[in-house]
Amino acid sequence: MTSNKELQQLIIEGIQERKGHAITIVDMSHIESAAAQKFIIAQGNSTTQVGSIAECVEDYVRENGGGKPYNEAGMANAEWVVIDYGDIWVHIFLPETRQHYNLEELWSDAKISEIPDLD
C-alpha cells in the first residue's frame, strides 16, 4: 500500500496526464471536523475533459500501485467529479462549477498549496 504522500503524487500525475490544470492541495489534516485529510482540486475545460481526467486518475493510481478508490461520484454529468481515496479526496471541476462551490474558500483555515501547470 502506498503512503498518502505517494498517493498524492500519483493523483497529481494522473491529473497532469490529461492536461488538468489549476491543481490545488487543501491540507485539512489539522482540522478535526474535516471529512478527509486532503482535497486535491483540479479543473478541466469541458465535461469530456473532466470525465477523462477522473478516469485517468483512477487508472494511473491503480496501475502504479495506489489501489482503487473507495467511491466516486459525478461522472454522469462530469461538472464536478469526486474520487474518494479515504484520507485524500480528488475534486475535478468545470471552471464555473469550481468557482461556484469554492472549496478553497470553504476550507480557508486549511493549508492551501498550488501546483504549477505543466504548460
Side-chain angles (χ1 to χ4, degrees), residues 5-107:
K5 189 171 182 144
E6 291 166 327
L7 178 58
Q8 175 179 308
Q9 189 57 41
L10 291 174
I11 291 166
I12 290 167
E13 290 170 9
I15 292 167
Q16 292 172 331
E17 184 82 17
R18 288 288 182 270
K19 306 282 189 255
H21 55 96
I23 302 170
T24 303
I25 298 168
V26 181
D27 183 345
M28 303 168 295
S29 56
H30 64 283
I31 302 172
E32 256 185 63
S33 61
Q37 288 185 8
K38 288 186 181 176
F39 284 171
I40 298 176
I41 304 170
Q43 65 191 46
N45 296 322
S46 65
T47 55
T48 303
Q49 187 184 19
V50 168
S52 177
I53 293 166
E55 288 174 2
C56 186
V57 166
E58 289 186 34
D59 292 345
Y60 193 88
V61 169
R62 186 176 51 255
E63 289 165 9
N64 289 283
K68 291 182 182 177
Y70 293 106
N71 206 348
E72 84 170 22
M75 286 296 279
N77 69 7
E79 292 178 14
W80 176 7
V81 177
V82 181
I83 308 169
D84 174 3
Y85 283 102
D87 290 338
I88 301 175
W89 290 11
V90 184
H91 298 267
I92 305 161
F93 287 99
L94 283 176
E96 56 274 14
T97 308
R98 181 178 185 170
Q99 188 175 4
H100 177 78
Y101 289 100
N102 200 356
L103 295 182
E104 294 93 334
E105 182 64 29
L106 185 67
W107 293 99

